[in-house]
Amino acid sequence: MAQQLWTSLVILVVFRDVLIVGGFLLIQIFAVPKHYDPLYISKLNTGIQIILVGFVLARLSLGAPPGPADLVLSLIVGATTIASGLSYLVRWARILARPEQAS
C-alpha cells in the first residue's frame, strides 16, 4: 500500500503534541500551576487533522487515488500545526517570564 500521509507531516504533528505536553509540564513545575485553556488555533488544528484523516480513510475505502484535496488538506494541517506550536511556545515563554502574573 502506498504511503497516504507525508512522514514529515506525521512527525510535525507528533512533535507539536510533545511540545505542548512538555510546555505544560514545565509551566506546572516552574510557574503558577493552574488550568490553561487550549488556544483557538489548537482547536482549529485538531479539527482539520480529523478532517484530513477522515478524508484519507474515505478515499481509501472508495479506492480513489490521491488528488489535489489530499495536498491542500495536508498543507493546511502543516500550516495550522506550525502556527499552533509557535503560539504555545509564545504562551509558555510569556508565562515563564512572569510566573506571578500567569493567566
Coordinates of all heavy atoms in Angstrom, one line a residue:
M1 N 0.8 -1.2 0.0 CA 0.0 0.0 0.0 C 0.9 1.2 0.0 O 1.9 1.3 0.7 CB -0.9 0.0 1.2 CG -1.8 1.2 1.3 SD -3.2 0.9 2.4 CE -2.6 1.8 3.9
A2 N 0.6 2.2 -0.8 CA 1.3 3.4 -0.9 C 1.1 4.3 0.4 O 0.1 4.2 1.0 CB 0.9 4.2 -2.1
Q3 N 2.1 5.1 0.6 CA 2.1 6.0 1.8 C 0.9 7.0 1.5 O 0.9 7.6 0.5 CB 3.4 6.7 2.0 CG 3.5 7.6 3.1 CD 4.9 8.2 3.3 OE1 5.8 7.7 2.7 NE2 5.0 9.2 4.0
Q4 N 0.1 7.2 2.5 CA -1.1 8.1 2.4 C -0.9 9.5 2.9 O -1.5 10.4 2.4 CB -2.3 7.4 3.0 CG -2.7 6.1 2.4 CD -3.0 6.2 0.9 OE1 -3.6 7.2 0.4 NE2 -2.4 5.3 0.1
L5 N 0.0 9.6 3.9 CA 0.3 10.9 4.5 C 1.8 11.1 4.5 O 2.6 10.1 4.7 CB -0.2 11.0 5.9 CG -1.8 11.0 6.1 CD1 -2.2 10.9 7.5 CD2 -2.4 12.2 5.4
W6 N 2.3 12.3 4.3 CA 3.7 12.6 4.4 C 4.2 12.2 5.8 O 3.7 12.6 6.8 CB 4.0 14.0 4.1 CG 3.6 14.5 2.8 CD1 3.5 13.9 1.6 CD2 3.2 15.9 2.5 NE1 3.0 14.7 0.6 CE2 2.8 15.9 1.1 CE3 3.0 17.0 3.2 CZ2 2.4 17.1 0.5 CZ3 2.6 18.2 2.6 CH2 2.3 18.2 1.3
T7 N 5.4 11.5 5.8 CA 6.0 11.2 7.0 C 6.4 12.5 7.8 O 6.2 12.6 9.0 CB 7.3 10.4 6.8 OG1 6.9 9.2 6.0 CG2 8.0 10.0 8.1
S8 N 6.8 13.5 7.1 CA 7.2 14.8 7.7 C 6.0 15.4 8.4 O 6.1 16.0 9.4 CB 7.8 15.7 6.7 OG 7.0 15.9 5.6
L9 N 4.8 15.3 7.8 CA 3.6 15.8 8.4 C 3.3 15.1 9.7 O 2.9 15.7 10.7 CB 2.4 15.8 7.4 CG 1.1 16.4 7.9 CD1 1.2 17.8 8.2 CD2 0.0 16.1 6.9
V10 N 3.4 13.8 9.7 CA 3.1 13.0 10.9 C 4.1 13.4 12.0 O 3.7 13.6 13.1 CB 3.1 11.5 10.6 CG1 3.0 10.7 11.8 CG2 2.0 11.1 9.6
I11 N 5.4 13.5 11.6 CA 6.4 13.8 12.6 C 6.1 15.2 13.2 O 6.2 15.5 14.4 CB 7.8 13.8 12.0 CG1 8.2 12.3 11.7 CG2 8.9 14.4 12.9 CD1 9.4 12.1 10.9
L12 N 5.7 16.2 12.3 CA 5.4 17.5 12.8 C 4.3 17.5 13.8 O 4.3 18.2 14.8 CB 5.1 18.4 11.5 CG 4.7 19.9 11.8 CD1 5.9 20.6 12.4 CD2 4.2 20.5 10.5
V13 N 3.2 16.8 13.5 CA 2.0 16.7 14.4 C 2.4 16.1 15.7 O 2.1 16.7 16.8 CB 0.9 15.9 13.7 CG1 -0.2 15.6 14.7 CG2 0.3 16.7 12.5
V14 N 3.2 15.0 15.7 CA 3.6 14.4 16.9 C 4.5 15.3 17.7 O 4.4 15.5 18.9 CB 4.3 13.0 16.7 CG1 4.9 12.5 17.9 CG2 3.2 12.1 16.1
F15 N 5.5 16.0 17.0 CA 6.4 16.9 17.7 C 5.6 18.1 18.4 O 5.9 18.5 19.5 CB 7.4 17.5 16.7 CG 8.3 18.5 17.3 CD1 9.4 18.1 18.1 CD2 8.2 19.9 17.0 CE1 10.2 19.0 18.7 CE2 9.0 20.8 17.6 CZ 10.1 20.4 18.4
R16 N 4.6 18.6 17.7 CA 3.8 19.7 18.3 C 3.1 19.2 19.5 O 3.0 19.9 20.6 CB 2.8 20.2 17.3 CG 1.8 21.1 17.8 CD 0.4 21.0 17.1 NE -0.6 21.6 17.8 CZ -1.6 20.9 18.3 NH1 -1.7 19.6 18.3 NH2 -2.6 21.5 18.9
D17 N 2.6 18.0 19.5 CA 1.9 17.4 20.7 C 2.9 17.2 21.9 O 2.5 17.6 23.0 CB 1.2 16.1 20.4 CG 0.0 16.3 19.4 OD1 -0.5 17.5 19.3 OD2 -0.5 15.3 18.9
V18 N 4.0 16.8 21.6 CA 5.1 16.6 22.6 C 5.5 18.0 23.2 O 5.6 18.1 24.4 CB 6.3 15.8 22.1 CG1 7.5 15.9 23.0 CG2 5.9 14.4 21.7
L19 N 5.6 19.0 22.3 CA 5.9 20.3 22.7 C 4.8 20.9 23.6 O 5.2 21.5 24.7 CB 6.0 21.2 21.5 CG 6.2 22.7 21.8 CD1 7.7 23.1 21.5 CD2 5.3 23.5 20.9
I20 N 3.6 20.7 23.3 CA 2.5 21.2 24.2 C 2.5 20.5 25.5 O 2.4 21.1 26.6 CB 1.1 21.0 23.5 CG1 1.0 21.9 22.3 CG2 0.0 21.2 24.4 CD1 -0.2 21.6 21.4
V21 N 2.7 19.2 25.5 CA 2.7 18.4 26.8 C 3.9 18.8 27.6 O 3.8 19.1 28.8 CB 2.6 16.9 26.6 CG1 2.9 16.2 27.9 CG2 1.3 16.5 26.0
G22 N 5.1 18.9 27.0 CA 6.3 19.3 27.7 C 6.2 20.7 28.2 O 6.6 21.0 29.4
G23 N 5.7 21.6 27.5 CA 5.5 23.0 27.9 C 4.5 23.1 29.1 O 4.8 23.8 30.1
F24 N 3.5 22.4 29.0 CA 2.5 22.4 30.1 C 3.2 21.9 31.4 O 3.0 22.4 32.5 CB 1.3 21.5 29.8 CG 0.3 21.4 30.9 CD1 -0.6 22.4 31.1 CD2 0.3 20.3 31.7 CE1 -1.5 22.3 32.2 CE2 -0.6 20.2 32.7 CZ -1.5 21.2 33.0
L25 N 3.9 20.8 31.3 CA 4.6 20.2 32.5 C 5.6 21.2 33.0 O 5.7 21.4 34.3 CB 5.3 18.9 32.1 CG 4.4 17.7 31.8 CD1 5.2 16.5 31.3 CD2 3.5 17.4 33.0
L26 N 6.4 21.9 32.2 CA 7.3 22.9 32.6 C 6.6 24.1 33.4 O 7.1 24.5 34.4 CB 8.1 23.5 31.5 CG 9.2 22.7 30.9 CD1 9.8 23.4 29.7 CD2 10.3 22.5 32.0
I27 N 5.5 24.5 32.8 CA 4.7 25.6 33.5 C 4.2 25.1 34.8 O 4.2 25.9 35.8 CB 3.5 26.0 32.6 CG1 4.0 26.6 31.3 CG2 2.6 26.9 33.3 CD1 5.0 27.7 31.4
Q28 N 3.8 23.9 34.9 CA 3.3 23.3 36.2 C 4.4 23.3 37.3 O 4.2 23.5 38.4 CB 2.6 22.0 36.0 CG 1.4 22.0 35.2 CD 0.3 22.9 35.7 OE1 -0.1 22.8 36.8 NE2 -0.2 23.8 34.8
I29 N 5.6 23.0 36.8 CA 6.8 22.9 37.7 C 7.3 24.3 38.1 O 7.6 24.6 39.2 CB 7.9 22.0 37.1 CG1 7.4 20.6 36.9 CG2 9.2 22.1 37.9 CD1 8.3 19.7 36.1
F30 N 7.5 25.2 37.1 CA 8.3 26.4 37.3 C 7.4 27.7 37.4 O 7.9 28.7 37.7 CB 9.3 26.6 36.2 CG 10.3 25.6 36.2 CD1 10.4 24.6 35.2 CD2 11.3 25.5 37.2 CE1 11.4 23.7 35.1 CE2 12.3 24.5 37.2 CZ 12.3 23.6 36.2
A31 N 6.1 27.6 37.2 CA 5.3 28.8 37.3 C 4.1 28.4 38.2 O 4.1 27.4 38.8 CB 4.8 29.2 35.9
V32 N 3.1 29.3 38.2 CA 1.9 29.2 39.0 C 1.1 28.0 38.3 O 0.6 28.2 37.2 CB 1.1 30.5 39.0 CG1 -0.1 30.3 39.8 CG2 2.0 31.6 39.6
P33 N 1.0 26.9 39.0 CA 0.2 25.8 38.5 C -1.3 26.2 38.5 O -1.9 26.7 39.4 CB 0.4 24.7 39.5 CG 1.5 25.0 40.3 CD 1.6 26.5 40.3
K34 N -1.9 26.1 37.3 CA -3.3 26.4 37.2 C -3.8 25.8 35.9 O -3.1 25.2 35.1 CB -3.6 27.9 37.2 CG -3.0 28.7 36.1 CD -3.3 30.2 36.2 CE -4.6 30.4 35.6 NZ -5.0 31.8 35.4
H35 N -5.1 25.9 35.6 CA -5.7 25.4 34.4 C -5.5 26.4 33.3 O -5.8 27.5 33.4 CB -7.2 25.1 34.6 CG -7.9 24.7 33.4 ND1 -7.9 23.5 32.9 CD2 -8.7 25.4 32.6 CE1 -8.6 23.4 31.8 NE2 -9.1 24.6 31.6
Y36 N -5.0 25.9 32.1 CA -4.9 26.7 30.9 C -5.8 26.1 29.8 O -5.7 25.0 29.5 CB -3.4 26.7 30.5 CG -2.5 27.3 31.5 CD1 -1.8 26.6 32.4 CD2 -2.4 28.7 31.5 CE1 -0.9 27.1 33.3 CE2 -1.5 29.3 32.5 CZ -0.8 28.5 33.3 OH 0.0 29.1 34.3
D37 N -6.6 27.0 29.3 CA -7.5 26.5 28.2 C -6.7 26.4 26.9 O -5.7 27.1 26.7 CB -8.6 27.6 28.0 CG -9.6 27.6 29.1 OD1 -9.8 26.6 29.7 OD2 -10.1 28.7 29.4
P38 N -7.1 25.5 26.0 CA -6.4 25.3 24.7 C -6.6 26.6 23.9 O -7.6 27.3 24.0 CB -7.1 24.1 24.1 CG -8.3 23.7 25.0 CD -8.2 24.5 26.2
L39 N -5.6 26.9 23.1 CA -5.7 28.0 22.2 C -6.7 27.7 21.0 O -6.8 26.5 20.6 CB -4.3 28.3 21.6 CG -3.3 28.7 22.7 CD1 -1.9 28.8 22.0 CD2 -3.7 30.0 23.4
Y40 N -7.3 28.7 20.5 CA -8.2 28.6 19.4 C -7.6 27.9 18.2 O -8.1 27.0 17.6 CB -8.8 29.9 19.0 CG -9.7 29.8 17.7 CD1 -11.0 29.3 17.8 CD2 -9.3 30.2 16.5 CE1 -11.8 29.1 16.7 CE2 -10.0 30.0 15.4 CZ -11.3 29.5 15.5 OH -12.1 29.4 14.4
I41 N -6.3 28.3 17.9 CA -5.6 27.8 16.7 C -5.4 26.3 16.9 O -5.4 25.5 16.0 CB -4.3 28.5 16.4 CG1 -3.6 28.0 15.2 CG2 -3.3 28.4 17.6 CD1 -4.3 28.3 13.9
S42 N -5.2 25.9 18.2 CA -5.0 24.4 18.5 C -6.3 23.6 18.2 O -6.2 22.5 17.7 CB -4.6 24.3 20.0 OG -4.4 22.9 20.3
K43 N -7.4 24.2 18.6 CA -8.7 23.6 18.3 C -8.9 23.5 16.8 O -9.4 22.4 16.3 CB -9.8 24.3 19.0 CG -9.8 24.3 20.5 CD -11.0 25.1 21.1 CE -11.0 25.0 22.6 NZ -12.1 25.7 23.2
L44 N -8.6 24.5 16.1 CA -8.8 24.5 14.7 C -7.9 23.5 14.0 O -8.3 22.7 13.2 CB -8.4 25.9 14.1 CG -8.5 26.1 12.6 CD1 -9.9 25.9 12.1 CD2 -8.0 27.5 12.2
N45 N -6.6 23.4 14.5 CA -5.7 22.4 14.0 C -6.2 21.0 14.2 O -6.1 20.2 13.3 CB -4.3 22.6 14.7 CG -3.3 21.6 14.3 OD1 -3.0 20.7 15.1 ND2 -2.9 21.6 13.1
T46 N -6.7 20.7 15.4 CA -7.2 19.4 15.7 C -8.4 19.0 14.8 O -8.5 17.9 14.2 CB -7.6 19.2 17.2 OG1 -6.5 19.5 18.0 CG2 -8.2 17.9 17.5
G47 N -9.3 20.0 14.6 CA -10.4 19.8 13.7 C -10.0 19.5 12.2 O -10.5 18.5 11.6
I48 N -9.0 20.2 11.8 CA -8.5 20.0 10.4 C -7.8 18.7 10.3 O -7.9 18.0 9.3 CB -7.7 21.2 9.9 CG1 -8.5 22.4 9.8 CG2 -7.0 20.9 8.5 CD1 -7.7 23.7 9.6
Q49 N -7.0 18.3 11.3 CA -6.4 17.0 11.3 C -7.4 15.9 11.2 O -7.2 14.9 10.5 CB -5.6 16.8 12.6 CG -4.3 17.6 12.7 CD -3.6 17.4 14.0 OE1 -4.0 16.6 14.9 NE2 -2.6 18.2 14.2
I50 N -8.5 16.0 12.0 CA -9.6 15.0 11.9 C -10.2 14.9 10.5 O -10.5 13.8 10.0 CB -10.7 15.3 13.0 CG1 -10.0 15.0 14.4 CG2 -11.9 14.4 12.8 CD1 -10.9 15.5 15.5
I51 N -10.4 16.1 9.9 CA -11.0 16.1 8.6 C -10.0 15.4 7.6 O -10.5 14.7 6.7 CB -11.2 17.6 8.1 CG1 -12.4 18.2 8.9 CG2 -11.5 17.7 6.6 CD1 -12.6 19.7 8.8
L52 N -8.7 15.7 7.7 CA -7.7 15.1 6.8 C -7.7 13.6 6.9 O -7.8 12.8 5.9 CB -6.3 15.6 7.1 CG -5.2 14.9 6.3 CD1 -5.3 15.0 4.8 CD2 -3.8 15.5 6.8
V53 N -7.7 13.1 8.2 CA -7.7 11.6 8.4 C -9.0 11.0 7.9 O -9.0 10.0 7.2 CB -7.4 11.3 9.9 CG1 -7.7 9.8 10.1 CG2 -6.0 11.7 10.3
G54 N -10.1 11.6 8.2 CA -11.4 11.1 7.7 C -11.5 11.1 6.2 O -12.0 10.1 5.5
F55 N -11.0 12.2 5.5 CA -10.9 12.3 4.1 C -10.1 11.1 3.5 O -10.5 10.5 2.5 CB -10.4 13.6 3.6 CG -10.3 13.8 2.1 CD1 -11.4 14.1 1.4 CD2 -9.1 13.6 1.5 CE1 -11.3 14.2 0.0 CE2 -9.0 13.7 0.1 CZ -10.1 14.0 -0.6
V56 N -8.9 10.9 4.0 CA -8.0 9.9 3.5 C -8.6 8.5 3.7 O -8.6 7.7 2.8 CB -6.6 10.0 4.2 CG1 -5.8 8.8 3.8 CG2 -5.9 11.2 3.7
L57 N -9.2 8.3 4.9 CA -9.9 7.0 5.1 C -11.0 6.8 4.1 O -11.2 5.7 3.6 CB -10.3 6.8 6.5 CG -9.2 6.7 7.6 CD1 -9.7 6.7 9.0 CD2 -8.4 5.4 7.3
A58 N -11.8 7.8 3.9 CA -13.0 7.7 3.0 C -12.5 7.4 1.6 O -13.0 6.6 0.9 CB -13.8 9.0 3.1
R59 N -11.4 8.2 1.2 CA -10.9 8.0 -0.2 C -10.4 6.6 -0.4 O -10.6 5.9 -1.4 CB -9.8 9.0 -0.4 CG -9.2 8.9 -1.8 CD -8.1 9.9 -2.0 NE -7.0 10.0 -1.0 CZ -6.1 9.1 -0.9 NH1 -6.1 8.0 -1.6 NH2 -5.1 9.2 0.0
L60 N -9.7 6.1 0.7 CA -9.2 4.7 0.6 C -10.3 3.7 0.5 O -10.2 2.7 -0.2 CB -8.3 4.4 1.8 CG -6.9 5.1 1.8 CD1 -6.2 4.9 3.1 CD2 -6.0 4.6 0.6
S61 N -11.3 3.9 1.3 CA -12.5 2.9 1.2 C -13.2 2.9 -0.1 O -13.7 1.9 -0.5 CB -13.5 3.2 2.4 OG -14.2 4.4 2.1
L62 N -13.1 4.0 -0.8 CA -13.7 4.1 -2.2 C -12.7 3.7 -3.3 O -13.1 3.6 -4.4 CB -14.2 5.5 -2.4 CG -15.3 6.0 -1.5 CD1 -15.6 7.5 -1.8 CD2 -16.6 5.2 -1.7
G63 N -11.5 3.5 -2.9 CA -10.5 3.1 -3.9 C -10.0 4.2 -4.8 O -9.5 3.9 -5.8
A64 N -10.2 5.4 -4.4 CA -9.8 6.6 -5.2 C -8.4 6.9 -4.9 O -7.9 6.7 -3.8 CB -10.7 7.8 -4.8
P65 N -7.7 7.3 -6.0 CA -6.3 7.7 -5.8 C -6.2 9.1 -5.2 O -7.1 9.9 -5.1 CB -5.8 7.8 -7.3 CG -7.0 8.2 -8.1 CD -8.2 7.5 -7.4
P66 N -5.0 9.4 -4.6 CA -4.8 10.7 -4.0 C -4.9 11.8 -5.1 O -4.6 11.6 -6.2 CB -3.3 10.6 -3.5 CG -3.0 9.2 -3.4 CD -3.8 8.5 -4.5
G67 N -5.5 12.9 -4.6 CA -5.7 14.0 -5.6 C -5.3 15.3 -4.9 O -4.7 15.4 -3.9
P68 N -5.7 16.4 -5.6 CA -5.4 17.7 -5.1 C -5.9 18.0 -3.6 O -5.3 18.7 -2.9 CB -6.0 18.7 -6.1 CG -6.3 17.9 -7.3 CD -6.5 16.5 -6.8
A69 N -7.0 17.4 -3.3 CA -7.6 17.7 -2.0 C -6.7 17.2 -0.9 O -6.5 17.8 0.2 CB -9.0 17.0 -1.8
D70 N -6.0 16.0 -1.1 CA -5.0 15.5 -0.2 C -3.9 16.5 0.1 O -3.5 16.8 1.2 CB -4.4 14.2 -0.7 CG -5.4 13.1 -0.8 OD1 -6.1 13.0 -1.8 OD2 -5.5 12.3 0.2
L71 N -3.4 17.1 -1.0 CA -2.3 18.1 -0.9 C -2.8 19.3 -0.2 O -2.1 19.8 0.8 CB -1.8 18.5 -2.3 CG -0.8 19.6 -2.4 CD1 0.5 19.1 -1.6 CD2 -0.5 20.0 -3.8
V72 N -3.9 19.8 -0.5 CA -4.4 21.0 0.1 C -4.7 20.8 1.6 O -4.2 21.6 2.5 CB -5.7 21.5 -0.6 CG1 -6.4 22.6 0.2 CG2 -5.4 22.0 -2.0
L73 N -5.4 19.7 2.0 CA -5.6 19.4 3.4 C -4.3 19.2 4.1 O -4.2 19.7 5.3 CB -6.5 18.2 3.5 CG -8.0 18.4 3.2 CD1 -8.7 17.1 3.2 CD2 -8.6 19.4 4.2
S74 N -3.4 18.5 3.5 CA -2.1 18.3 4.2 C -1.3 19.6 4.4 O -0.7 19.8 5.5 CB -1.2 17.4 3.4 OG -1.8 16.1 3.3
L75 N -1.4 20.5 3.5 CA -0.7 21.8 3.6 C -1.4 22.6 4.7 O -0.7 23.3 5.5 CB -0.7 22.5 2.3 CG 0.3 22.0 1.2 CD1 0.1 22.7 -0.1 CD2 1.7 22.0 1.7
I76 N -2.7 22.6 4.8 CA -3.4 23.3 5.8 C -3.1 22.7 7.2 O -2.9 23.5 8.1 CB -4.9 23.3 5.5 CG1 -5.3 24.1 4.3 CG2 -5.7 23.9 6.7 CD1 -6.7 24.0 3.8
V77 N -3.1 21.4 7.3 CA -2.7 20.8 8.6 C -1.3 21.2 8.9 O -1.0 21.6 10.1 CB -2.8 19.3 8.5 CG1 -2.1 18.6 9.7 CG2 -4.3 18.9 8.5
G78 N -0.4 21.2 8.0 CA 1.0 21.6 8.3 C 1.1 23.0 8.8 O 1.8 23.3 9.8
A79 N 0.4 23.9 8.1 CA 0.4 25.4 8.5 C -0.2 25.6 9.8 O 0.4 26.3 10.7 CB -0.3 26.2 7.4
T80 N -1.4 25.0 10.1 CA -2.0 25.2 11.4 C -1.2 24.5 12.5 O -1.2 25.0 13.7 CB -3.5 24.7 11.4 OG1 -3.6 23.3 11.1 CG2 -4.3 25.6 10.5
T81 N -0.5 23.4 12.2 CA 0.3 22.7 13.2 C 1.4 23.6 13.6 O 1.7 23.8 14.8 CB 0.8 21.4 12.7 OG1 -0.3 20.5 12.4 CG2 1.7 20.7 13.7
I82 N 2.1 24.2 12.6 CA 3.2 25.1 12.9 C 2.7 26.4 13.7 O 3.3 26.8 14.7 CB 3.9 25.5 11.6 CG1 4.7 24.3 11.1 CG2 4.9 26.7 11.9 CD1 5.2 24.5 9.7
A83 N 1.6 26.9 13.2 CA 1.0 28.1 13.9 C 0.6 27.8 15.4 O 0.9 28.6 16.3 CB -0.2 28.6 13.2
S84 N 0.1 26.6 15.6 CA -0.3 26.2 16.9 C 0.9 26.0 17.8 O 0.9 26.5 18.9 CB -1.2 24.9 16.8 OG -1.4 24.4 18.1
G85 N 1.9 25.3 17.3 CA 3.1 25.1 18.1 C 3.8 26.4 18.5 O 4.2 26.5 19.6
L86 N 3.9 27.3 17.5 CA 4.5 28.6 17.8 C 3.7 29.4 18.8 O 4.3 30.0 19.7 CB 4.7 29.4 16.5 CG 5.8 28.8 15.5 CD1 5.8 29.6 14.2 CD2 7.2 28.8 16.2
S87 N 2.4 29.3 18.7 CA 1.5 30.0 19.6 C 1.7 29.5 21.0 O 1.7 30.3 22.0 CB 0.1 29.9 19.2 OG -0.2 30.5 18.0
Y88 N 1.8 28.2 21.2 CA 2.1 27.6 22.5 C 3.5 28.0 23.0 O 3.6 28.3 24.2 CB 1.9 26.1 22.5 CG 0.5 25.7 22.7 CD1 -0.3 25.2 21.7 CD2 -0.1 25.8 24.0 CE1 -1.6 24.9 21.9 CE2 -1.4 25.5 24.2 CZ -2.2 25.0 23.1 OH -3.5 24.7 23.3
L89 N 4.5 28.1 22.2 CA 5.8 28.5 22.6 C 5.7 29.9 23.1 O 6.3 30.2 24.2 CB 6.8 28.4 21.4 CG 7.4 27.0 21.1 CD1 8.3 27.1 19.9 CD2 8.1 26.5 22.3
V90 N 5.0 30.8 22.4 CA 4.9 32.2 22.9 C 4.1 32.2 24.2 O 4.5 32.9 25.2 CB 4.1 33.0 21.8 CG1 3.7 34.4 22.4 CG2 5.0 33.2 20.6
R91 N 3.1 31.4 24.3 CA 2.3 31.4 25.6 C 3.2 30.9 26.8 O 3.2 31.6 27.8 CB 1.1 30.4 25.5 CG 0.4 30.3 26.8 CD -0.6 29.1 26.7 NE -1.9 29.7 26.7 CZ -3.0 29.0 26.8 NH1 -3.0 27.7 26.9 NH2 -4.2 29.6 26.7
W92 N 3.9 29.8 26.6 CA 4.8 29.3 27.6 C 5.9 30.3 28.0 O 6.2 30.5 29.2 CB 5.4 28.0 27.3 CG 4.4 26.9 26.9 CD1 4.7 25.9 26.0 CD2 3.2 26.5 27.5 NE1 3.6 25.0 26.0 CE2 2.7 25.4 26.9 CE3 2.4 27.1 28.5 CZ2 1.5 24.8 27.2 CZ3 1.1 26.6 28.8 CH2 0.7 25.4 28.2
A93 N 6.5 31.0 27.0 CA 7.6 31.9 27.2 C 7.0 33.1 28.1 O 7.7 33.6 29.0 CB 8.1 32.4 25.9
R94 N 5.8 33.6 27.7 CA 5.2 34.7 28.5 C 5.0 34.3 29.9 O 5.2 35.1 30.9 CB 4.0 35.2 27.8 CG 4.2 36.0 26.6 CD 2.9 36.4 25.9 NE 3.2 37.2 24.7 CZ 2.3 37.5 23.8 NH1 1.0 37.0 23.9 NH2 2.6 38.2 22.8
I95 N 4.4 33.1 30.1 CA 4.1 32.6 31.5 C 5.4 32.4 32.3 O 5.5 32.9 33.4 CB 3.3 31.3 31.4 CG1 1.9 31.6 30.8 CG2 3.2 30.7 32.8 CD1 1.1 30.4 30.5
L96 N 6.4 31.9 31.7 CA 7.7 31.6 32.4 C 8.4 33.0 32.7 O 9.1 33.1 33.7 CB 8.6 30.7 31.6 CG 8.2 29.2 31.6 CD1 9.0 28.4 30.6 CD2 8.2 28.6 33.0
A97 N 8.2 34.0 31.8 CA 8.9 35.3 32.0 C 8.2 36.0 33.2 O 8.9 36.8 33.9 CB 8.8 36.1 30.7
R98 N 6.9 35.8 33.4 CA 6.2 36.4 34.5 C 5.3 35.4 35.2 O 4.1 35.5 35.1 CB 5.3 37.5 33.9 CG 6.1 38.7 33.3 CD 5.2 39.8 33.0 NE 6.0 40.8 32.2 CZ 6.0 40.9 30.8 NH1 5.2 40.0 30.2 NH2 6.7 41.8 30.2
P99 N 5.9 34.5 35.9 CA 5.1 33.4 36.6 C 4.1 33.9 37.6 O 3.0 33.3 37.7 CB 6.2 32.5 37.2 CG 7.4 33.3 37.3 CD 7.3 34.4 36.2
E100 N 4.3 35.0 38.2 CA 3.4 35.5 39.2 C 2.1 36.1 38.5 O 1.1 36.3 39.2 CB 4.1 36.6 40.1 CG 4.4 37.9 39.4 CD 5.6 37.9 38.5 OE1 6.4 36.9 38.5 OE2 5.8 38.8 37.7
Q101 N 2.2 36.5 37.2 CA 1.1 37.0 36.5 C 0.5 36.0 35.5 O -0.2 36.4 34.6 CB 1.5 38.3 35.8 CG 2.0 39.4 36.6 CD 2.6 40.5 35.8 OE1 2.6 40.5 34.6 NE2 3.0 41.6 36.5
A102 N 0.8 34.8 35.7 CA 0.3 33.8 34.7 C -1.2 33.8 34.6 O -1.9 33.9 35.6 CB 0.7 32.4 35.2
S103 N -1.7 33.8 33.4 CA -3.2 33.8 33.2 C -3.6 32.9 32.1 O -2.8 32.4 31.3 CB -3.6 35.2 32.9 OG -3.0 35.7 31.7

